[in-house]
Amino acid sequence: MLQEVILRLSVSLSFSDEPSQHSFPTMKLLNVAGFLTLVPTLILALDPLSTSILMGGAAVAWQLLSPHSWLKCSLLECCNMKDTLNFSVLRMDLEQKVFGQHLAVQTVLRALGANVYSKRPKKPLVMSFHGWTGTGKSFVSRIIAENLYQLNIPRRRFVHHFSTVLHFPHASHVRLYKEQLQNWIQGNVSACPRSLFIFSEMDQMPHGLIDSIMPFLGYHEEIDGVYYGKAIFLFLNNAGGDKITEIALDYWRRQKRREDIPLKELQSLMAEEIFSNTNSGFFRSQLIQKNLIDYFIPFLPLEYKHVRECVREELRLQGHIEDEDLMTEIALAMTDYPSEERLYSSKGCKTVASRVTLSI
């Protein structure tokens, strides 16, 4: 009889439906609480085996109720409120895997360090990546996402990637997109303050759309009871890439090192360029006018030596030994800009993987 009571209570505690992003349903919490209050009474009337089963079930229920228990996090992808960024590992990943982007790597490390190690940042961290395709903008954003959360905690509920072409394809639907985007950001930051939002193809975003998230990026203690200071926003842009390449090429022609290009000069030029560029999602954007973008990060065009390193890494990833001749061949074929000097790869390292595959 008592075993039957236990079984019925256990069934009432099960949750086959997908759990809410915000919390367990209130009724289930009440059921669990009621069950736990009965445990001492039930234990007195049970044999040792039943007692063990009952106590085990109670332990599981307690783990599921605990805000950050290992079991709940494993099953339900709970939000880990404690920052778990291993800064030394992040630094190593960026410095060893990202080629030719010293300015971007230095700035990203400094920006993330300031935000993550602040107990209560005054505003979300907002970074805008600019440069030609294949220079590493998406790759760096992926490295950030991989290092921001513990390896054993699934990340898909904390990392939100918006593709302009996929999610905002119709300029005529901007009003609807604005509402959806606001609701999405508010809901996910409510569920997990340390949420990461990545917007790619910003140069194709309908004008005015990105301004809809302006309230979430400012210096507010809270908005409708939600704190946004731990959120991170990354914008990936091809816009501004030509200007960055123009400056890098000018330094090379004047026999100056790319490492000597001042970051402040590039940041100022990028802000002006994308604000006045009609082919930019930030065209006349209030995010720029109100200085809500913390860092404009330049990704320089890749030279022959950088593409060669990309080929070397791709050979390693595909399980092949280093082939110096192949690395030279592919890197030379991909450095095609300007047509006279052939100093940079107009596609960065974008097609390296496919070229390696076809050449092996």
Side-chain angles (χ1 to χ4, degrees), residues 22 59 67 77 138 245 247 277:
H22 304 284
E77 304 175 19
S138 296
T245 300
I247 293 172
N277 188 346

Coordinates of all heavy atoms in Angstrom, one line a residue, residues 22 59 67 77 138 245 247 277:
H22 N 12.1 30.0 -17.5 CA 12.3 30.8 -16.3 C 12.3 30.0 -15.0 O 13.0 30.3 -14.1 CB 11.1 31.8 -16.3 CG 11.1 32.7 -17.5 ND1 12.0 33.7 -17.8 CD2 10.3 32.6 -18.6 CE1 11.8 34.2 -18.9 NE2 10.7 33.6 -19.5
A59 N 16.2 12.7 -2.7 CA 17.5 13.3 -3.1 C 17.4 13.8 -4.5 O 17.9 14.9 -4.8 CB 18.6 12.3 -2.9
P67 N 18.8 25.5 -7.2 CA 19.0 26.4 -8.4 C 20.1 26.0 -9.3 O 20.0 26.1 -10.5 CB 19.3 27.7 -7.7 CG 18.7 27.6 -6.3 CD 18.8 26.2 -5.9
E77 N 19.9 22.2 -18.7 CA 20.7 23.3 -19.1 C 20.5 24.6 -18.3 O 20.1 25.7 -18.9 CB 20.4 23.6 -20.6 CG 20.6 22.4 -21.5 CD 20.1 22.7 -22.9 OE1 20.0 23.9 -23.3 OE2 19.9 21.8 -23.7
S138 N 33.6 35.7 -37.5 CA 32.8 34.6 -37.0 C 33.6 33.7 -36.1 O 33.1 33.1 -35.1 CB 32.1 33.9 -38.1 OG 31.3 34.7 -38.9
T245 N 41.2 48.0 -45.1 CA 42.2 47.5 -46.0 C 42.9 48.7 -46.7 O 44.2 48.6 -46.9 CB 41.5 46.7 -47.1 OG1 40.8 45.6 -46.5 CG2 42.5 46.2 -48.2
I247 N 43.7 51.5 -45.3 CA 44.6 52.0 -44.3 C 45.8 51.1 -44.2 O 47.0 51.5 -44.2 CB 44.0 52.3 -43.0 CG1 43.0 53.4 -43.1 CG2 45.0 52.6 -41.9 CD1 42.1 53.6 -41.9
N277 N 27.2 55.0 -44.2 CA 27.1 54.0 -45.3 C 25.7 53.4 -45.4 O 25.3 52.8 -44.5 CB 28.2 52.9 -45.1 CG 28.3 52.0 -46.3 OD1 27.5 52.0 -47.2 ND2 29.3 51.1 -46.3

